[in-house]
Amino acid sequence: AVLYPCLFTWKDELYLIWTRQERGKVAAMMCRIDFDGVGEVQVVSAVNEAYRANGCEGGDGNLYVAYDAYVDGAYHTLVRAFTGTAWTDEVRLDNTEEWASGTRIIPSKTGATACWYGFGYGATFSVNSADVCTEGMHLKADAPQVLASNVGWYLDMHAAGRASDGLQLIAYT
């Protein structure tokens, strides 16, 4: 199955990232799209189950991708970066017992910011973020911040950012 398509730009090129689900493997896939058609399709996730991937060009020019990953019986937020020559390792950003989902990645002045929501027992939820950047071939992640928390059955979130001045907006219901 092909699920969760998302479009983004990197180095003035248009890219499509999506989830491909097959027997025993769920991966984040990506390709460049232009007037000549679809470029080479590549797997961008390393974990065995990656969902709802999206990407952005960070303020440092690197490509950042983020996705929900099902690991050890729960969903978590994973991020990695492509520096132009190689992919960094995946880094888990969430650090609570809540399941993390709805991951978004937006540009910041020095890299990118991942945003996600967590949900727990009793319909509790939180909206979270963590800044990421590359140091050489490694991904550095700041400690996650809880931006809001409450109780509710339905949650939707979207985020946008502008690397030029660092403006970032997160909207949620």
Side-chain angles (χ1 to χ4, degrees), residues 4-171:
Y4 312 115
C6 184
L7 297 167
F8 66 94
T9 57
W10 179 50
K11 300 202 181 291
D12 292 324
E13 299 282 349
L14 184 62
Y15 283 83
L16 172 65
I17 192 168
W18 69 95
T19 299
R20 181 180 69 194
Q21 186 170 5
E22 300 175 330
R23 173 176 255 161
K25 178 79 173 171
V26 183
M29 311 295 293
M30 183 183 80
C31 68
R32 186 180 50 78
I33 300 174
D34 61 21
F35 289 114
D36 295 325
V38 175
E40 178 184 349
V41 174
Q42 60 179 306
V43 178
V44 298
S45 57
V47 69
N48 197 46
E49 291 187 53
Y51 299 90
R52 293 172 284 280
N54 60 110
C56 78
E57 180 172 351
D60 57 3
N62 292 321
L63 169 61
Y64 291 86
V65 296
Y67 36 88
D68 305 342
Y70 190 71
V71 180
D72 298 328
Y75 285 93
H76 301 288
T77 295
L78 298 185
V79 175
R80 69 191 312 203
F82 185 72
T83 62
T85 57
W87 287 97
T88 66
D89 289 337
E90 292 171 322
V91 173
R92 177 181 163 187
L93 298 182
D94 63 291
N95 63 359
T96 69
E97 294 297 316
E98 293 182 321
W99 280 22
S101 191
T103 304
R104 303 285 183 260
I105 190 93
I106 57 176
S108 70
K109 280 182 138 181
T110 58
T113 300
C115 311
W116 68 93
Y117 60 85
F119 54 95
Y121 295 105
T124 60
F125 74 86
S126 62
V127 177
N128 308 274
S129 72
D131 293 330
V132 295
C133 65
T134 58
E135 289 185 351
M137 290 305 302
H138 300 284
L139 188 69
K140 177 185 169 227
D142 289 348
Q145 299 179 41
V146 176
L147 305 175
S149 61
N150 209 330
V151 176
W153 287 106
Y154 178 78
L155 183 67
D156 192 19
M157 181 191 73
H158 196 73
R162 194 168 54 206
S164 61
D165 62 5
L167 178 64
Q168 297 177 321
L169 301 171
I170 301 171

